[in-house]
Amino acid sequence: MAEISLAKARTMIRKTLEAGRAQEMKPLAVAVLDAGGHVIAFERSDGAPPGRFELARAKAYGAVMLGMGGTAQRDRAEAQAYFMIAANGIYGGQLAPVPGGILVRDKRGRVVGAVGVTGDTSENDLAVGIAGIEAAGFAAEG
């Protein structure tokens, strides 16, 4: 099974943070998880609140555990709130169903992990996260 190496995870984080700085976003935090939902790497920009780890991880964790990016999770929550309430209960309240949770797919389309970005608007978090994932040679599904 393909994996996200530590070097690739660090590239995703670096490129995500660079994209955020280039767009003059608020300080960001980025978590990269493997396909089992385990943290590979995390970093937060200077000035990002300390609680951002949990939120970045929750965005990524929801994406990998449910097999859908944060945008799809948000849409599902709006259409079927009971589904996301149940899923969040099953996963111990660890999901954040909003944009910024991004599935990472390899060249064959297999899910190899997820990235969670938080700190600016959810849509901005999503955009820079996609840039970071693609810069590392993977496909993104937000």
Side-chain angles (χ1 to χ4, degrees), residues 33-140:
L33 279 56
D34 67 16
H38 305 100
V39 176
I40 299 170
F42 170 79
E43 190 171 329
R44 67 183 175 95
S45 300
D46 291 341
R52 292 296 176 173
F53 169 77
E54 289 80 4
L55 189 49
R57 183 191 170 280
K59 286 183 173 189
Y61 190 75
V64 78
M65 288 295 113
L66 296 176
M68 65 177 89
T71 302
Q73 291 176 58
R74 179 202 57 205
D75 295 347
R76 183 80 182 263
E78 289 173 353
Q80 297 175 311
Y82 61 86
F83 172 80
M84 286 308 299
I85 291 167
N88 216 354
I90 290 165
Y91 290 109
Q94 297 182 66
L95 311 181
V98 294
I102 310 157
L103 285 174
V104 179
R105 294 187 181 271
D106 67 11
K107 292 178 182 178
R108 297 176 76 180
R110 296 174 296 193
V111 173
V112 293
V115 170
V117 183
T118 185
D120 207 272
T121 67
S122 293
E123 291 73 18
N124 285 345
D125 294 344
L126 173 62
V128 296
I130 289 171
I133 292 166
E134 291 176 350
F138 291 95

